[in-house]
Amino acid sequence: MTATGPRPDPGFVGRTEEVARLSAALELALESSSAPLCLVVGEAGIGKSRLTARVAAHARELGLDVGWTEAEEGAGPFSALAGLRARGDDARSGDDARWDRLEAVAAAIAARAPVLVAIEDFHWADDSSAWVVERLGRQLQGVTAPLLVTARSDEPGTTKVAGLLASADHVVRLRGMTLEETTRLAELTAPGTDVDGARLWERTGGVPLFVREAAVLAEEGGGPEGGTPSLATEVLRRRFERLGPETARVLAALALAPGATSLLVLARALDRPVDAVAAAIDVGRAEELVVDEHGGGIRFRHALLAEASADQLPPAEQRELRLHLATALELEGDDPALSRAAELRLRALPAGDVDAAATAALEAVVVLRAAGDDSAASALAQTAVEVLTTYGAAAEVMAALHVERGESLFELGDAASAGIAFAAAVELAPGDPTLRARAETGAAWFANPLVPDTATFDRLAAAAAALDPADSALRVRLLGRLSAASISHPAAREQGRRHGEEAVAMARRLRDPALLSQALADLHLAPATPEESVVRERAADEIVTLGERLGRPEVALLGYEWQFGERLARADLPGAQDALARLELYARLSSSPRWRFAAGLRRATMVCLSGDRERCLEVLESEFENAGQWIHPEELIGIGMTFRAATAFIYGIPDPVLADRVIANQDAADLLAAPFVQASLALGVLALADHEAARVHLGLAVAGLDVLATGLESVFALNACGVVAGVTGDVAAARALRPRLEPFADRLSSGSGSVVVPVATTIGLLSDLEGDHDAAVRYHERGVAIAERVQSAVLADRCRELAGRTAPSVAAAIPTGRGAITRQEDGWSFSSPFGTALVEESRGLLQLVEVLRANGREVTALDLAGSGSGPAVAVQHDLGPALDSRAKREYRARIADLREEIDDAEDMNDPDRASRARWELDTLLEELGRAVGLGGRDRPQGATDERARVNVTRSIKRAISAVGAVAPELGAHLEASVRTGRQCRYQPDPAAALTWEVTAS
């Protein structure tokens, strides 16, 4: 039987409570300008799409626009976001790709606000799309853009759905309809039919899709016996059987064909006239089996229908039909058709030739990558790898597929999956020199530079020897990786540097700025001598210039990060501050949080040196909280432990958090044979006053001294070991370490975003252990001078303390007792076991007195800002960030334009135009600086509590300095014990605690 027209839509039945909940969420989003995440989950056919359409209609009534997108099974990275992309969306490649895509999608949504964003079939979403969707709500703060996500609860992709459940604002779980709703839907679907509602409900479980299909069969006289709720395919099978074999075969071909397949291709594959195929499609359209897609094309109304249609053919016939479809598509000749044909040949196996299918897949992947479609390329390569692993294919082709997939994923920012793909390619040991070089270069990106690894270096060297020596981008990348790999292989250090220098020279010859910046980064990754550090700073300057001219903040950021580290290491405080300011500014413009974390870590170092330990740790923990979602936990634990250990050592104050970090890091060290990790652990347990354990870890670190001295953060690691040796009295370690450290005697060791003590101070400790007391005195004096050059009173005091003893304890006991503060006619009098002082009254002193009067209770900075002379400060609300996503992108674009204009003006010898462009660029950067807070975060506008924190912190520090000028020990005690920030309090080491009594006479 052929239907003469479309069947009437039965309308929307039931779901009253669900519609009400979602409608209320829309109304609340409008009132609060928010983007709540609403998740609708349920099995296939349960009515998620119809519910979404109903809610979308209500959204339009409320004045919201509606945006739609949907995921497709097996599609490539970011494919589920296709309906949400902004015009011209061309996210950068590499680590920033996901963050660029998140920013671009959020900007596109914000541009349409107020808008309801419907994302259907989330269970099919690829990992990259899921990653973006999970973060959209936070990115859309202040934007009216509720998100309505639907997903099946009975698919493998429910692991992605689980990631949304915890963060969703509203979760609607669709169940089967009630008996009354089931009966009503059946009556509307098949008017005039005698419906046995109870039996229908019992057989279908109230799943709307199956209720409608069963009602259609009942209307046609077949009764409701066509299956059970768990065998809905039987209902659908009977639906297709009645169409007749010719129509069923055409629809089966449509089900097996990829999306957007034309009628001509179907006709060729079936060896039928186009008119006959079109007539069969018309039958399917009349029966509501297929629908017209927007922009042309035909598709099944839902996936279950497509599956049921294909299942009308035996598996062998399905495979043959796929081969015919592939041949028909190849006649089209365009790249998309070839790609779809290759996938069909893969899915037709074991029918057809395995090697031919593998070769076709590889060629299609290469074509897709050349067209810039890395998302589709990685998806096809993944399909090919999965299928060909089952049926077998030549190892060389398999290796090539793994390499192509790895490079595509790397461009898309999915580093973890890319690393797995490259490792699989290396395992296959391809014989082609170019393919082998690509595989080894890709895999080397994921080698841990802290761990000795001669195998990686040897494989890279062999690949380089086999590769054509002519200039090429691949050879530059391979040689650069060889240089980077040599830092964990001391015997190959010089050879690695030669390879790195060759890579830089070749990149210059190729005139490729991006390639050159990477070659410079590889060559100067780990300077091992003072001379190499000088060269690295020059390389940092060049990387900054390259990054700014390329308009790529992530490139310039590496240069600023290196500039900061090198300038701070040589105690150039103004230079380090300038580099940090630019690092924070460009981190704010970057879409990747990696750079905001790097900037925040360096800012915490500067706060630590300024003497504000509490604020330093606040910044550190804030950065770690933000970084937890994207940095590997073990790496984060290591960085946090090292920073806290160094801070605890400088201040001589126990850190209650440090013990847990040390334990966690010890667990990681059992699996990671890295001398640097042992050096960090030695410092960590030293800060916990466990000298015995510190010496054990020191011995393990010194056992790998050659690796330690040439690897990442080598000066920091050597300096940390020297401190541990000096404090614990390890003479053997001191003798081994001193000659390694002496070339760096004029440096303030900085590494991992933290500082221990100047290298000269460490050498002073080691000299004392060796009995060279005259040298010890000279080195200690140099250490104090370096600390003073960076204007760090707390570091200078620590250096002086270390100069006074051979093996100082980390947390020396301080006398306990009581302190008294009395107001006099000529100021305030302080009496304590640390000394007495009479200090002139000031606003900061009054605030200090209030903090001490509280004796450990917190006092807000806002309250303190209103104490003393002057008016109280009125609280203002945070007016939001000074920069939104659109502003950041516009700033980035304008900066790139100005850089290009400056270069063009210089090339054209037009100094006036270059000067005007530089003036505008400087003005723009100054405006950005005012909008950027710590670590490159958005600086809120009009936030009085932030101004109060800054002003109170500054004035209390001045007051403590005034006390210290009269009574140095008392000043040192207050500096170490008074915590400032938004909450201020007196929090000394319990062994040093005083109870303060304040008398205002």
Side-chain angles (χ1 to χ4, degrees):
M1 169 184 166
T2 301
T4 58
R7 188 175 298 281
D9 190 324
F12 191 81
V13 176
R15 309 302 191 197
T16 305
E17 180 182 348
E18 291 86 349
V19 171
R21 286 180 59 193
L22 294 172
S23 296
L26 295 183
E27 293 164 4
L28 182 60
L30 266 174
E31 293 175 6
S32 59
S33 297
S34 59
L37 173 61
C38 305
L39 181 60
V40 178
V41 294
E43 64 180 290
I46 200 67
K48 300 181 293 297
S49 294
R50 284 181 174 259
L51 176 63
T52 300
R54 184 60 174 260
V55 174
H58 182 61
R60 293 188 180 96
E61 293 173 0
L62 294 173
L64 276 74
D65 191 5
V66 177
W68 296 82
T69 188
E70 62 181 350
E72 295 182 10
E73 183 179 13
F78 303 116
S79 57
L81 307 174
L84 301 178
R85 294 177 185 170
R87 179 176 297 178
D89 176 11
D90 56 348
R92 291 183 180 88
S93 63
D95 292 341
D96 289 350
R98 295 181 303 178
W99 296 96
D100 277 333
R101 186 74 63 173
L102 172 61
E103 187 177 301
V105 169
I109 292 172
R112 294 181 61 177
V115 59
L116 169 67
V117 178
I119 305 173
E120 294 205 75
D121 294 335
F122 187 79
H123 50 277
W124 296 133
D126 61 280
D127 291 340
S128 299
S129 295
W131 185 93
V132 171
V133 172
E134 287 176 7
R135 290 158 178 78
L136 261 181
R138 291 196 295 272
Q139 192 77 5
L140 290 168
Q141 291 181 4
V143 176
T144 302
L147 308 175
L148 181 55
V149 180
T150 71
R152 292 185 192 173
S153 57
D154 54 354
E155 294 289 346
T158 51
T159 53
K160 300 183 184 71
V161 180
L164 290 184
L165 284 172
S167 57
D169 300 284
H170 308 279
V171 177
V172 174
R173 299 179 184 274
L174 291 184
R175 311 295 184 189
M177 297 186 300
T178 65
L179 170 60
E180 292 76 13
E181 291 168 345
T182 299
T183 303
R184 177 61 177 159
L185 179 59
E187 290 172 345
L188 290 173
T189 301
T193 303
D194 186 13
V195 176
D196 184 346
R199 182 165 183 172
L200 186 62
W201 179 80
E202 187 177 288
R203 290 181 57 256
T204 64
V207 176
L209 170 66
F210 305 150
V211 171
R212 289 194 297 271
E213 301 298 338
V216 169
L217 288 177
E219 182 186 38
E220 296 173 350
E225 288 81 15
T228 66
S230 62
L231 297 174
T233 53
E234 178 66 16
V235 175
L236 300 177
R237 181 185 66 79
R238 291 184 58 189
R239 182 88 182 270
F240 283 99
E241 279 180 348
R242 65 188 177 81
L243 299 177
E246 291 300 316
T247 298
R249 184 170 175 80
V250 171
L251 293 179
L254 177 65
L256 295 171
T261 298
S262 68
L263 293 181
L264 177 59
V265 170
L266 290 175
R268 286 173 179 165
L270 294 165
D271 195 20
R272 300 278 196 283
V274 174
D275 290 346
V277 172
I281 295 294
D282 285 339
V283 172
R285 186 184 292 108
E287 289 294 308
E288 284 193 309
L289 298 173
V290 299
V291 295
D292 296 307
E293 288 190 293
H294 297 297
I298 304 292
R299 65 173 175 83
F300 281 88
R301 190 158 50 83
H302 55 73
L304 288 178
L305 283 169
E307 293 167 9
S309 179
D311 286 344
Q312 303 307 300
L313 302 179
E317 194 170 344
Q318 290 184 36
R319 290 192 286 269
E320 288 299 323
L321 186 50
R322 283 194 173 99
L323 287 177
H324 291 313
L325 284 165
T327 301
L329 277 168
E330 286 165 352
L331 293 175
E332 297 288 286
D334 59 89
D335 293 344
L338 293 176
S339 173
R340 295 195 292 270
E343 185 166 355
L344 281 168
R345 291 195 179 280
L346 290 169
R347 295 192 181 281
L349 293 174
D353 183 86
V354 173
D355 289 333
T359 301
L362 177 58
E363 291 173 351
V365 169
V366 171
V367 168
L368 287 170
R369 291 205 63 215
D373 195 348
D374 284 297
S375 178
S378 65
L380 179 56
Q382 174 65 12
T383 299
V385 166
E386 291 173 352
V387 172
L388 295 171
T389 298
T390 300
Y391 294 106
E396 200 79 1
V397 176
M398 292 292 289
L401 285 166
H402 281 300
V403 168
E404 295 290 348
R405 181 168 182 266
E407 290 177 351
S408 294
L409 290 168
F410 197 77
E411 288 295 306
L412 292 166
D414 189 351
S417 299
I420 294 172
F422 284 126
V426 169
E427 186 70 21
L428 289 168
D432 177 74
T434 299
L435 183 59
R436 182 181 177 189
R438 291 170 64 194
E440 292 290 359
T441 301
W445 279 106
F446 304 96
N448 190 333
L450 294 174
V451 179
D453 183 3
T454 59
T456 294
F457 182 88
D458 291 343
R459 287 200 312 271
L460 285 167
L467 187 64
D468 186 340
D471 288 0
S472 68
L474 174 58
R475 188 162 184 83
V476 171
R477 288 192 289 268
L478 176 56
L479 294 174
R481 287 291 85 197
L482 258 173
S483 179
S486 70
I487 68 174
S488 62
H489 186 10
R493 176 76 180 187
E494 287 307 313
Q495 182 185 356
R497 287 198 64 80
R498 288 195 297 273
H499 286 309
E501 289 164 356
E502 183 183 350
V504 170
M506 190 177 297
R508 294 191 193 281
R509 291 195 297 270
L510 291 171
R511 299 179 182 276
D512 186 330
L515 202 60
L516 175 57
S517 65
Q518 183 57 61
L520 289 168
D522 287 335
L523 174 59
H524 302 290
L525 185 61
T529 66
E531 294 75 21
E532 289 179 8
S533 294
V534 172
V535 176
R536 170 173 156 141
E537 188 167 1
R538 289 201 296 267
D541 297 341
E542 184 172 4
I543 289 172
V544 165
T545 301
L546 289 169
E548 291 180 346
R549 289 183 177 177
L550 285 169
R552 291 180 56 183
E554 73 277 9
V555 174
L557 279 162
L558 176 64
Y560 285 126
E561 185 180 48
W562 282 7
Q563 282 181 347
F564 170 80
E566 293 302 322
R567 292 172 184 178
L568 184 62
R570 55 184 171 81
D572 176 7
L573 184 63
Q577 290 172 333
D578 179 67
L580 180 56
R582 288 301 178 98
L583 177 61
E584 289 177 327
L585 189 154
Y586 275 72
R588 180 67 188 88
L589 292 176
S590 171
S591 59
S592 172
R594 172 196 183 286
W595 293 109
R596 290 194 286 278
F597 176 73
L601 207 59
R602 272 70 186 174
R603 173 58 64 186
T605 295
M606 298 300 279
V607 176
C608 174
L609 292 174
S610 75
D612 192 344
R613 173 179 172 273
E614 181 183 13
R615 178 61 179 159
C616 159
L617 296 180
E618 285 177 0
V619 172
L620 181 71
E621 289 308 305
S622 174
E623 295 300 337
F624 276 37
E625 181 179 349
N626 294 330
Q629 62 180 322
W630 61 275
I631 289 186
H632 193 281
E634 290 181 0
E635 182 182 357
L636 206 58
I637 289 170
I639 295 172
M641 185 208 69
T642 303
F643 196 106
R644 282 185 169 272
T647 303
F649 184 81
I650 291 172
Y651 281 82
I653 297 175
D655 183 342
V657 176
L658 183 58
D660 290 338
R661 299 285 169 86
V662 167
I663 292 172
N665 221 48
Q666 285 173 327
D667 293 339
D670 292 339
L671 304 174
L672 195 65
F676 180 88
V677 175
Q678 297 297 336
S680 297
L681 277 169
L683 184 63
V685 294
L686 177 72
L688 295 174
D690 188 344
H691 289 200
E692 182 177 352
R695 292 188 66 161
V696 171
H697 288 296
L698 174 63
L700 293 172
V702 173
L705 191 56
D706 288 342
V707 174
L708 201 67
T710 60
L712 284 177
E713 307 290 357
S714 58
V715 180
F716 175 83
L718 290 171
N719 200 39
C721 287
V723 166
V724 175
V727 171
T728 61
D730 190 327
V731 178
R735 288 173 180 160
L737 289 163
R738 181 178 172 183
R740 301 274 190 170
L741 285 167
E742 283 182 327
F744 302 96
D746 289 324
R747 294 175 69 85
L748 172 65
S749 168
S750 64
S752 303
S754 54
V755 170
V756 190
V757 291
V759 175
T761 295
T762 303
I763 301 173
L765 291 174
L766 301 180
S767 300
D768 260 332
L769 279 183
E770 293 184 281
D772 190 351
H773 301 299
D774 291 339
V777 170
R778 292 195 302 273
Y779 279 120
H780 278 304
E781 288 175 351
R782 289 167 70 178
V784 172
I786 290 170
E788 290 176 341
R789 282 214 308 274
V790 294
Q791 300 177 23
S792 176
V794 64
L795 185 60
D797 287 346
R798 186 59 165 146
C799 290
R800 293 187 186 97
E801 180 187 0
L802 292 170
R805 66 190 77 180
T806 300
S809 64
V810 173
I814 304 175
T816 60
R818 305 179 70 83
I821 306 174
T822 306
R823 189 169 197 166
Q824 307 286 350
E825 291 184 2
D826 50 353
W828 287 80
S829 171
F830 289 73
S831 301
S832 75
F834 302 102
T836 61
L838 180 62
V839 184
E840 183 179 351
E841 183 174 302
S842 67
R843 184 179 185 82
L845 190 68
L846 293 175
Q847 293 166 346
L848 174 62
V849 169
E850 289 303 314
V851 172
L852 296 177
R853 188 202 301 268
N855 278 309
R857 297 189 307 277
E858 289 186 339
V859 185
T860 68
L862 278 172
D863 288 340
L864 291 171
S867 66
S869 59
V873 179
V875 177
Q876 298 176 4
H877 294 292
D878 184 344
L879 301 181
L883 291 177
D884 59 16
S885 297
R886 177 180 293 181
K888 284 188 291 180
R889 294 191 342 194
E890 290 173 352
Y891 270 122
R892 279 204 299 263
R894 185 55 184 155
I895 287 172
D897 289 344
L898 288 169
R899 293 288 180 195
E900 185 175 345
E901 185 172 350
I902 292 169
D903 290 343
D904 184 61
E906 290 176 345
D907 291 342
M908 299 296 292
N909 195 25
D910 188 347
D912 291 339
R913 183 157 66 96
S915 178
R916 288 193 300 271
R918 285 195 191 93
W919 178 85
E920 183 180 347
L921 179 61
D922 290 342
T923 302
L924 187 63
L925 293 176
E926 185 177 346
E927 290 176 1
L928 279 169
R930 289 195 293 269
V932 172
L934 288 179
R937 293 193 189 87
D938 292 324
R939 174 169 287 155
Q941 303 179 78
T944 302
D945 61 340
E946 174 65 11
R947 290 203 302 273
R949 182 194 67 77
V950 172
N951 292 334
V952 167
T953 297
R954 184 185 300 117
S955 58
I956 287 181
K957 295 301 181 186
R958 288 173 180 167
I960 291 174
S961 296
V963 173
V966 181
E969 287 189 33
L970 177 57
H973 171 71
L974 294 175
E975 185 174 1
S977 304
V978 174
R979 312 288 181 255
T980 55
R982 286 186 172 85
Q983 304 290 331
C984 303
R985 63 185 178 278
Y986 173 64
Q987 185 185 339
D989 180 350
L994 299 178
T995 301
W996 291 95
E997 295 179 358
V998 179
T999 304
S1001 57

